[in-house]
Amino acid sequence: MTALLTDNLPLLAGAPNGIKKLRELILELAVRGKLVPQEPSDEPASELLKRIAEEKARLVAEGKIKKQKPLAGIGEEEKPFELPEGWEWSRLSDLLPEFQNGASSRGDSDGLPVTVLRLADIKAGEISLDDTRTLMLSATTISKYALEDSDILLIRVNGSADLVGRFVVCRTTLQAIPCDHFIRMRFPRDVIDSAYLKLIGDSEIARSAIAGLFVSTAGQKTVNQGHIGSLLLPLPPLAEQHRIVAKVDELMALCDRLETRQADAASAHARLVQALLDSLTQASDAADFAASWQRLAGHFHSLFTSESSIDALKQTLLQLAVMGKLVPQAPSDEPASELLKRIAEEKARLVKEEGLRTTARDDVPEDEYYLELPRGWAYCRLGNLARFIDYRGKTPTKTKTGVPLITAKNVRPGFISREPQEFIAERDYETWMTRGFPRIGDMLFTTEAPMGNIALIDISEKFALAQRVICFQLHEPRLGAFLKLAIMSSIFQKQLWEASTGMTATGIKASRLKEIPAPLPPLAEQHRIVAKLDQLMTLCDQLKTRLTTARQLHERLAGALVEQAVA
């Protein structure tokens, strides 16, 4: 079985969450007796249980322990799987543990200083003495709760179900005592290897069983000695326990190395991808850009092999579009300056005829340029491109049905989602939407939580707008497709963050948003850019789909291997 694991490590580790699942598989195989071979010469677990029963009877007869009410026998229906030859099912309390709840944290005024372990001292499943607390306790108390090598601490109470019921092994005799959030368990060493019991406690089989023992007290999940004593355990011969622990340690160390290697490889891959993508955006001229693109294209299928790398490619394509490097300029195109003249005339008309108040400064000085624009392009402040319909500061009364309400949660990067669904009453619609009605082709922008999402309106039915969403009604509607891309680009998002305010919830005020300059190409070039970018984004989505399909196949193959391993 170990050969099955090691021979297929690349397949298992490379599957989605592969190393995490590999660790779980190792524990699963360990507690099922499938990780190391059984040795006929090992003393069977049944003999261990006989010696325990004899020792328990002797201690009861001598009055050293109380006779306990016997637990119910282990029925066949309780046994989750068949055990190998020489193994036995046993309840935890049958292994003669010494249960001892931890010490109270009240302390004694005239006691001795002693380190008290808290839940905060359990880190990554191990005891850490890096930042402990000291209490004054009597010598008798210290002696009563002292920890020894191979003691097991059971976390018996915690607000997190992931910690309660966990086993922690004391690796050496510690000059410390546990607080009352723990139960100390001490086992006869000639019966149970504490490290084996710890790996049982970490296995999914035991975690599921322990979860069934939880009770809730004052909002916390707890487990007590009586509960945990009924836990059903697969008990191998003692010699096999030692071999299992050694093999698990070996395989977990191998997982650690695989994890480190994967992390290093992923980091190096991300740096390489970003460096090659940066060479495109930083190209000094057309020849430099062509050379950089050739380098990228030559290794395309080996570079873009993860969702993060494809997302980085998408963002670079957006930036190239906004920089004017995605399609060639055409000298015959009407320059953007002429487009801006017509936009200014429309804005003046709206100011005069409709009382438009959304305006910004007209000039964009060179010290505000954040891109070197190609010939024929121009900067224009957002406030001069559109009427702003802003419902900031107002909260509508929501209803279960009625007119759909579009909130900041619905505006995603590049599109409007209809989830979550919220509504306002039909009778409130007219009085609520007094600042203006959004139209198909207008743009929605989120000012906070999250800030900077932008989408074109494609909703034909009437809807209401909530706070933290601004509607841009463009003076030239044909700008929308390109302007959406420009706002989504990382270089424009950087301008938003520099103009934002707030510590806990970062947002941007409409007055500052209006003043941010946007780069505008000639209208004809905008259409060419949008068409080219749509084509390239479709290719990126196809790459992601193929990647997802390959991962699903990989996961199915790994799953089949796991089934074979535990069958």
Side-chain angles (χ1 to χ4, degrees):
M1 193 54 63
T2 303
L4 181 65
L5 275 177
T6 53
D7 291 347
N8 292 279
L9 275 178
L11 173 63
L12 289 167
N17 294 317
I19 294 180
K20 178 178 180 291
K21 292 179 180 178
L22 184 57
R23 292 183 193 276
E24 293 170 355
L25 174 60
I26 291 167
L27 292 177
E28 178 92 359
L29 295 175
V31 301
R32 286 175 176 264
K34 295 177 178 287
L35 196 62
V36 300
Q38 280 73 50
E39 296 287 347
S41 59
D42 289 343
E43 180 187 50
S46 57
E47 293 300 314
L48 299 180
L49 294 177
K50 284 180 184 177
R51 290 208 305 275
I52 289 174
E54 291 168 358
E55 177 65 9
K56 185 182 292 187
R58 184 185 66 82
L59 293 172
V60 170
E62 294 177 0
K64 293 182 178 179
I65 64 172
K66 294 180 179 180
K67 186 175 182 179
Q68 296 176 333
K69 181 180 179 181
L71 293 171
I74 301 170
E76 288 299 319
E77 70 283 356
E78 280 190 85
K79 301 174 183 178
F81 49 85
E82 186 176 347
L83 294 179
E85 191 74 26
W87 288 46
E88 295 289 339
W89 286 106
S90 172
R91 298 197 189 277
L92 182 66
S93 60
D94 290 335
L95 300 181
L96 200 59
E98 295 179 30
F99 288 121
Q100 173 66 64
N101 281 10
S104 167
S105 57
R106 288 191 294 272
D108 302 315
S109 58
D110 57 348
L112 301 171
V114 64
T115 297
V116 177
L117 296 179
R118 305 156 297 152
L119 294 180
D121 300 317
I122 307 302
K123 297 176 181 175
E126 301 288 342
I127 296 172
S128 170
L129 299 179
D130 293 340
D131 183 27
T132 55
R133 289 186 181 175
T134 300
L135 274 182
M136 304 299 289
L137 294 171
S138 70
T140 303
T141 300
I142 294 172
S143 175
K144 177 181 178 181
Y145 297 106
L147 293 171
E148 295 180 4
D149 184 23
S150 297
D151 282 352
I152 292 179
L153 292 179
L154 168 70
I155 300 174
R156 71 176 187 87
V157 55
N158 190 258
S160 167
D162 186 55
L163 282 181
V164 63
R166 290 282 183 182
F167 294 175
V168 183
V169 177
C170 299
R171 303 295 181 183
T172 59
T173 298
L174 296 173
Q175 301 301 312
I177 64 172
C179 77
D180 57 3
H181 284 173
F182 298 97
I183 298 172
R184 187 195 68 195
M185 298 187 292
R186 186 171 293 159
F187 295 85
R189 297 190 187 184
D190 60 348
V191 175
I192 192 81
D193 183 336
S194 292
Y196 171 74
L197 190 57
K198 167 70 164 67
L199 65 88
I200 288 183
D202 287 340
S203 71
E204 182 56 34
I205 293 169
R207 294 305 305 154
S208 297
I210 292 171
L213 304 175
F214 296 160
V215 295
S216 292
T217 304
Q220 287 189 318
K221 294 186 182 298
T222 65
V223 64
N224 61 33
Q225 296 176 18
H227 299 148
I228 202 67
S230 66
L231 181 65
L232 199 60
L233 303 174
L235 184 67
L238 185 60
E240 188 172 345
Q241 292 178 39
H242 299 328
R243 294 197 301 274
I244 290 171
V245 169
K247 179 55 71 174
V248 169
D249 286 346
E250 174 192 335
L251 293 175
M252 290 300 183
L254 181 56
C255 287
D256 291 340
R257 293 196 294 274
L258 282 172
E259 209 160 37
T260 300
R261 195 180 308 160
Q262 280 190 358
D264 290 345
S267 177
H269 179 262
R271 290 196 302 271
L272 174 62
V273 168
Q274 197 58 56
L276 290 173
L277 292 175
D278 288 346
S279 71
L280 295 176
T281 58
Q282 296 166 7
S284 56
D285 53 36
D288 188 15
F289 182 86
S292 296
W293 179 257
Q294 196 62 39
R295 285 194 296 270
L296 192 72
H299 304 280
F300 201 81
H301 291 290
S302 60
L303 287 171
F304 300 103
T305 56
S306 65
E307 289 190 2
S308 59
S309 63
I310 297 172
D311 288 338
L313 174 60
K314 282 186 166 185
Q315 189 53 239
T316 298
L317 292 172
L318 271 176
Q319 189 161 335
L320 291 173
V322 176
M323 297 174 75
K325 294 184 176 183
L326 199 62
V327 300
Q329 279 73 50
S332 59
D333 287 345
E334 179 191 64
S337 56
E338 294 300 313
L339 172 64
L340 292 180
K341 286 180 184 177
R342 293 196 298 274
I343 289 173
E345 291 170 359
E346 174 63 11
K347 184 187 75 172
R349 184 191 70 79
L350 292 171
V351 169
K352 180 179 180 181
E353 297 178 7
E354 299 185 20
L356 174 69
R357 291 180 294 175
T358 303
T359 59
R361 286 176 291 152
D362 290 324
D363 63 317
V364 182
E366 287 190 12
D367 60 2
E368 291 189 51
Y369 291 6
Y370 49 88
L371 286 172
E372 184 179 345
L373 299 183
R375 184 182 297 276
W377 288 44
Y379 277 108
C380 184
R381 300 185 190 277
L382 286 180
N384 292 324
L385 292 175
R387 178 201 302 267
F388 279 34
I389 301 176
D390 180 9
Y391 283 83
R392 176 174 287 234
K394 296 184 67 179
T395 302
T397 301
K398 298 175 185 178
T399 56
K400 292 183 178 180
T401 60
V403 177
L405 178 69
I406 298 300
T407 73
K409 298 174 187 176
N410 300 108
V411 183
R412 311 291 175 83
F415 70 98
I416 299 172
S417 170
R418 300 306 295 268
E419 297 293 336
Q421 291 187 347
E422 295 183 280
F423 303 91
I424 65 171
E426 181 80 37
R427 64 179 179 275
D428 294 337
Y429 176 70
E430 296 290 338
T431 54
W432 171 253
M433 297 295 290
T434 54
R435 297 182 185 179
F437 297 93
R439 308 164 302 194
I440 287 182
D442 289 348
M443 309 179 78
L444 296 184
F445 175 90
T446 59
T447 60
E448 185 182 319
M451 181 186 74
N453 283 353
I454 185 78
L456 288 170
I457 295 176
D458 57 358
I459 303 173
S460 56
E461 64 184 300
K462 68 181 181 181
F463 64 90
L465 282 179
Q467 60 176 331
R468 304 200 312 274
V469 178
I470 292 180
C471 176
F472 299 162
Q473 291 194 331
L474 296 169
H475 304 322
E476 168 50 83
R478 291 176 294 175
L479 292 179
F482 175 81
L483 189 59
K484 180 188 78 170
L485 303 178
I487 292 174
M488 289 174 63
S489 71
S490 60
I491 197 160
F492 190 93
Q493 291 286 315
K494 184 173 182 288
Q495 310 308 308
L496 291 175
W497 282 98
E498 289 177 352
S500 65
T501 58
M503 296 292 289
T504 54
T506 302
I508 186 166
K509 297 177 180 178
S511 58
R512 291 195 176 195
L513 181 62
K514 293 173 186 178
E515 297 296 331
I516 297 179
L520 289 181
L523 196 56
E525 187 175 345
Q526 291 183 37
H527 298 330
R528 294 197 300 274
I529 289 171
V530 170
K532 173 59 72 174
L533 198 61
D534 284 347
Q535 175 189 356
L536 293 173
M537 290 298 185
T538 298
L539 289 174
C540 288
D541 291 338
Q542 290 171 352
L543 269 178
K544 274 194 174 183
T545 299
R546 286 202 293 270
L547 179 65
T548 300
T549 302
R551 281 184 172 173
Q552 289 171 345
L553 176 60
H554 196 166
E555 190 168 18
R556 287 198 297 271
L557 289 171
L561 182 62
V562 169
E563 288 178 10
Q564 180 184 352
V566 298

